[in-house]
Amino acid sequence: MTASARLPARGILAGLGLGLLGVFILSILFGRYPAPYWIPLDLLGSDEMAQRLVWSLRLPRLVSALLLGAALATAGAVMQMIFRNPLVEPGFLGVTQGAAFGAALSILWIGSSLLVTQAVAMLFALLGLTFSYSLARHIRYGGWVLRLVLAGIAVSALFSSGVGVLKYLADPLTQLPEITFWLLGGLWGVTWRDTLYLLPVVLPGLLVIFLMRWRLNLLSLNDETAFSLGTAPGRERTVLLIAAVAATAAVTAVAGVVGWVGLIVPHLARRLCGANAQFTLPAAMLIGGIFAVVCDDLARALLPGEIPLGILTAFLGALLFLALMMRPAFAAPE
Amino acid sequence: MSAPALISLARLRFGYESGRPPVLPDLSLEIPAGTITAILGPNGAGKTTLLHLMLGLLTPLGGEVRVAGRPLAGYSRRELSQLVALAPQSEHIPFDFSVLEYVLLGRSPYLGMLEMPGAADYRLAREALDQLELKPLADRPVTALSGGERQMVMLARALAQQARLLLLDEPTSHLDLSNKGRLLRTLGRLAERGATIIFTTHDPEAAALAARYVVLMRAGQVIDSGPLETVLSAERLCATYHTTVRVEHIDGRPVVLLDQSVMRGPG
């Protein structure tokens, strides 16, 4: 039943692709200029202010939101499969908190230019992951999954207490607002320059993962099985993790801490396409893009003032999560 | 053992932790090609460790494993996975792959790092399911299978790998009588077609039904190895398991029974 097993997944992917395109186009028109919530099409043709607004403010922000959602969802899907745990997301393993700590540290003492902040954030994101992973290996209690979660919680807590210290030390007029922005997450003020900083890290990372997506299935099996199927489990998992963490760190460097996308979107994708990452991974990328663009639309245009994006993704993500948990799964485990 | 060896182990030494006595102090063994070999022995005898050494998953501290005359180290991961397949005793699968998708993973040795399985791979995965009469399960999620069904599906994945050497770790441990029969029958057919099969088991009946050669292990050492009829004797099983065993013959086939006297032993 090749057709019945694969065509629906392909159809779903095509539908999601069209959905993303539609959301993207509507989002260009959605906003608070000249009045809530739409730019009429004829105005976009004639009004120079509207054109400039769309080109230099909305478009870079939209593209960044798209990359943010796709990167976080992909990183979440990769980590859930590699760690064989559907509850893992980038934030659980010290990556997000590590990036936030690195960014705060950079703003305070190293340099607040985006490139430097991004590099330091990425370094600390990797450090957070490595720390969680090696800590989990040394915990002498519980199974692997529990140990990972415990280690991730501990490392995240260490980094967030570090962020607390840095906030306390920061200059309340110049540095503190910048750090606070990190912790709430958001894309206001994003320009084409920020978007261009994102591209060279996020796109190659996502590309590597996308190309290895069927291989990811093998790496979600026991070590012995993955090995017997011809993979080098340790090395290949490391390549995928580095790609995922690099993408996460890059978007976190631009947008701050945006939670829940990496946890909830892979679950949605699996509900739609099943477990096979050949289809689930592209689905997660598309859904992640749609989710982040919609959340960012609401963040910038729902109220006269900006709502921090991280608050919206957490609110909507948690609601979606609850709805998913209440509905019976396609296949109830034994 | 007269047939040429497909896999041979020479003076193999292995331990998981340095400073502790090795799990396998010094083990030599030759497994003839095109036959079924059963490895029997008490819990902790080192049977699974031995399979993992044959697979190349574990690296011996000393000695050498050769497959088809070549040392394991001389193979690439891909070459070796086309030659040797493993069905582990159990596998925790946290995501609900369909049975077909899971069996399809057995095709990976023939796919490049970035390649997706094609129509031929789907066909071979379906054939593997067919061989074990598992077709009705193809679209079921693996997470919803019973322990026995899951064990059969793991074997189907190993079959899709089309390897010359099949390593099965306790393949019958969760199977009911009819599935056990089906599995052993499939192994027999595969061996007729030239596959070499090595399985570990706690079940002397499975060994007596399917295997031509038997290896008895205790505490990392081979107590005896050779043709079924000579090795599966009461005396050698007693030496392997340290309990009183009787071997009866029914229809010319050895049947292993625990002796009545075990009920009166100490403890």
Side-chain angles (χ1 to χ4, degrees):
Chain A
M1 271 179 282
T2 311
S4 81
R6 289 161 78 198
L7 268 183
R10 295 241 158 88
I12 289 167
L13 287 182
L16 287 174
L18 286 176
L20 180 58
L21 193 70
V23 164
F24 194 89
I25 290 169
L26 288 180
S27 300
I28 293 175
L29 303 176
F30 184 70
R32 300 189 74 88
Y33 176 86
Y37 287 100
W38 295 102
I39 295 183
L41 270 178
D42 52 334
L43 190 72
L44 194 60
S46 58
D47 185 72
E48 202 181 312
M49 177 73 175
Q51 287 166 357
R52 214 161 354 133
L53 176 98
V54 163
W55 174 250
S56 40
L57 288 179
R58 275 191 201 164
L59 265 180
R61 195 169 165 163
L62 267 170
V63 174
S64 300
L66 182 65
L67 289 172
L68 169 90
L72 290 179
T74 306
V78 166
M79 288 192 180
Q80 287 176 8
M81 288 197 84
I82 281 179
F83 292 118
R84 307 154 52 69
N85 180 353
L87 286 179
V88 170
E89 63 129 7
F92 274 21
L93 292 170
V95 175
T96 310
Q97 289 303 331
F101 179 80
L105 197 69
S106 183
I107 290 166
L108 221 61
W109 287 312
I110 302 172
S112 61
S113 90
L114 188 66
L115 201 61
V116 175
T117 313
Q118 197 168 336
V120 178
M122 188 151 353
L123 184 76
F124 274 87
L126 268 172
L127 211 67
L129 179 83
T130 319
F131 196 20
S132 302
Y133 192 82
S134 50
L135 195 63
R137 290 179 76 99
H138 287 100
I139 293 178
R140 293 261 168 267
Y141 169 77
W144 175 238
V145 166
L146 181 63
R147 300 206 309 254
L148 261 179
V149 172
L150 289 176
I153 288 173
V155 170
S156 295
L158 281 177
F159 275 127
S160 32
S161 66
V163 171
V165 172
L166 293 178
K167 276 170 80 176
Y168 184 74
L169 294 176
D171 181 327
L173 290 178
T174 57
Q175 294 166 327
L176 191 58
E178 242 181 297
I179 296 176
T180 308
F181 154 82
W182 275 87
L183 303 178
L184 293 176
L187 289 167
W188 65 83
V190 163
T191 63
W192 278 119
R193 227 166 69 110
D194 302 308
T195 314
L196 291 179
Y197 278 130
L198 278 180
L199 287 173
V201 182
V202 174
L203 282 189
L206 294 189
L207 188 68
V208 166
I209 295 167
F210 179 78
L211 290 175
M212 285 180 74
R213 64 195 187 280
W214 190 74
R215 197 89 174 166
L216 191 56
N217 292 324
L218 301 169
L219 299 171
S220 78
L221 302 175
N222 287 354
D223 271 6
E224 53 189 310
T225 310
F227 183 89
S228 77
L229 290 169
T231 67
R235 212 171 18 185
E236 290 177 31
R237 285 184 185 135
T238 307
V239 168
L240 285 167
L241 270 184
I242 288 176
V245 170
T248 305
V251 296
T252 308
V254 169
V257 179
V258 176
W260 282 86
V261 180
L263 176 67
I264 187 73
V265 172
H267 279 269
L268 275 172
R270 274 195 294 273
R271 277 294 172 96
L272 286 175
C273 296
N276 185 356
Q278 185 183 350
F279 305 114
T280 303
L281 200 89
M285 285 180 177
L286 294 169
I287 298 172
I290 294 173
F291 185 69
V293 168
V294 169
C295 284
D296 190 53
D297 284 347
L298 298 177
R300 66 186 162 84
L302 190 65
L303 301 178
E306 174 101 18
I307 310 168
L309 179 62
I311 292 174
L312 271 172
T313 57
F315 180 70
L316 293 176
L319 284 184
L320 261 172
F321 189 71
L322 285 175
L324 266 185
M325 294 302 115
M326 303 292 183
R327 279 189 51 193
F330 291 147
E334 282 171 84
Chain B
M1 296 187 184
S2 50
L6 178 65
I7 182 161
S8 62
L9 320 173
R11 314 227 46 184
L12 215 56
R13 195 160 58 84
F14 178 79
Y16 286 98
E17 283 174 67
S18 55
R20 292 271 212 85
V23 182
L24 306 178
D26 179 4
L27 188 145
S28 296
L29 195 63
E30 298 216 325
I31 305 285
T35 56
I36 303 180
T37 302
I39 303 177
L40 283 161
N43 298 321
K47 302 186 293 290
T48 301
T49 304
L50 187 61
L51 287 190
H52 288 173
L53 283 160
M54 291 177 175
L55 186 70
L57 178 65
L58 300 174
T59 313
L61 299 172
E64 192 179 54
V65 181
R66 283 172 171 270
V67 176
R70 238 162 94 191
L72 273 192
Y75 288 97
S76 71
R77 296 269 345 97
R78 194 178 150 95
E79 283 173 318
L80 196 63
S81 61
Q82 294 176 359
L83 207 57
V84 186
L86 169 82
Q89 188 178 352
S90 63
E91 175 156 67
H92 169 62
I93 306 166
F95 301 104
D96 39 4
F97 292 104
S98 77
V99 166
L100 181 65
E101 283 166 343
Y102 178 75
V103 173
L104 199 59
L105 299 180
R107 298 301 303 155
S108 72
Y110 304 92
L111 297 170
M113 183 87 90
L114 310 179
E115 216 176 326
M116 306 287 141
D121 299 305
Y122 274 88
R123 185 172 47 76
L124 285 164
R126 254 188 226 101
E127 274 174 27
L129 281 173
D130 224 11
Q131 272 187 59
L132 291 164
E133 297 158 50
L134 296 175
K135 252 202 172 146
L137 298 185
D139 290 328
R140 291 259 299 277
V142 275
T143 44
L145 300 179
S146 72
E149 287 169 329
R150 197 182 278 217
Q151 209 162 21
M152 297 290 276
V153 166
M154 285 195 291
L155 179 64
R157 176 182 50 61
L159 292 186
Q161 212 170 328
Q162 294 185 308
R164 274 173 69 196
L165 175 61
L166 266 177
L167 305 175
L168 315 175
D169 199 0
E170 307 268 1
T172 58
S173 58
H174 293 109
L175 300 186
D176 63 27
L177 288 178
S178 93
N179 272 329
K180 187 160 116 182
R182 205 193 296 180
L183 179 123
L184 295 175
R185 188 165 69 235
T186 310
L187 296 187
R189 280 194 207 131
L190 289 167
E192 276 167 29
R193 279 188 252 148
T196 306
I197 295 158
I198 302 171
F199 69 93
T200 67
T201 186
H202 284 297
D203 178 4
E205 189 191 11
L209 263 175
R212 241 176 85 197
Y213 291 93
V214 172
V215 177
L216 295 180
M217 276 183 83
R218 181 180 180 85
Q221 271 158 335
V222 173
I223 302 284
D224 198 3
S225 69
L228 175 78
E229 310 82 63
T230 53
V231 176
L232 211 62
S233 72
E235 177 207 347
R236 281 161 194 175
L237 286 170
C238 290
T240 306
Y241 287 99
H242 289 194
T243 187
T244 332
V245 169
R246 280 170 55 192
V247 178
E248 300 290 334
H249 284 262
I250 300 178
D251 301 336
R253 175 161 71 85
V255 176
V256 179
L257 301 163
L258 271 176
D259 192 79
Q260 183 75 34
S261 65
V262 297
M263 302 301 286
R264 298 189 300 271

